[in-house]
Amino acid sequence: MRPFQIIFNPTSAAELARMPKELQLQILGDFRGLTQQVLQPEADQFGKLERAGRVLHRFRLGDYRVYFERHDLGVVVHRILNRHTLKDFYFRSGLKVGEDEALQANPKFWELIESARSAA
C-alpha cells in the first residue's frame, strides 16, 4: 500500500484549528478513512468541480464541506467550510442548479480557493 498524506494548506489548517477539538478529530478520522476511495480515478461519492483543467473534489462531513485536490502523496485540503455558509450563498444568489455546478461556475468560489493558495 502506498503512503497517503492529508496535506492542509495554511488557510484550511487555520479553519480546522478554529473548530472544537472533538470536531477536528471527527473530520480527520472520517477523511482519513476514505483513503482508497480518494485514490480511485472516478470517486462518485465526492463532488467534482472543474475549471481551466483544475479539478477540486468536495467531501461532505456533517455540517462541513472539505474541498481538496488529489496530490502524488494523497490530497491537499484547500478549504473547510460550514455548509450553512454555502446554503446562505445559494439563498442570496437564487441559483437553481446543484451545489457543484453552482460553485464550479462562480468565480468568487475560485477566488476563495486561490486566496488560500496565495496565503501559503
Side-chain angles (χ1 to χ4, degrees):
M1 180 172 196
R2 71 184 233 209
F4 181 84
Q5 291 182 348
I6 301 171
I7 303 163
F8 291 89
N9 67 16
T11 302
S12 64
E15 290 166 345
L16 187 66
R18 285 192 296 270
M19 297 175 185
K21 293 290 181 203
E22 289 179 6
L23 182 57
Q24 290 178 26
L25 294 174
Q26 178 187 355
I27 288 173
L28 289 172
D30 288 352
F31 202 67
R32 187 177 308 256
L34 296 172
T35 304
Q36 293 305 314
Q37 293 92 333
V38 168
L39 297 176
Q40 293 178 1
E42 291 300 320
D44 293 335
Q45 71 271 28
F46 302 112
K48 186 175 181 180
L49 299 94
E50 297 180 63
R51 182 178 183 195
R54 185 171 182 192
V55 178
L56 286 182
H57 296 280
R58 176 190 41 79
F59 178 55
R60 294 181 187 190
L61 290 166
D63 284 343
Y64 291 88
R65 305 297 181 253
V66 178
Y67 293 91
F68 67 93
E69 243 178 323
R70 290 187 179 137
H71 185 274
D72 292 340
L73 298 174
V75 296
V76 176
V77 177
H78 291 285
R79 300 300 299 245
I80 304 172
L81 301 173
N82 187 297
R83 76 178 176 101
H84 298 294
T85 304
L86 295 175
K87 192 174 194 178
D88 290 343
F89 166 75
Y90 295 133
F91 285 126
R92 286 191 308 269
S93 63
L95 296 173
K96 301 291 185 212
V97 297
E99 182 176 339
D100 294 334
E101 292 84 7
L103 290 175
Q104 183 171 286
N106 189 316
K108 294 290 184 190
F109 172 76
W110 294 99
E111 288 174 21
L112 180 74
I113 295 299
E114 289 302 319
S115 70
R117 180 181 283 188
S118 62

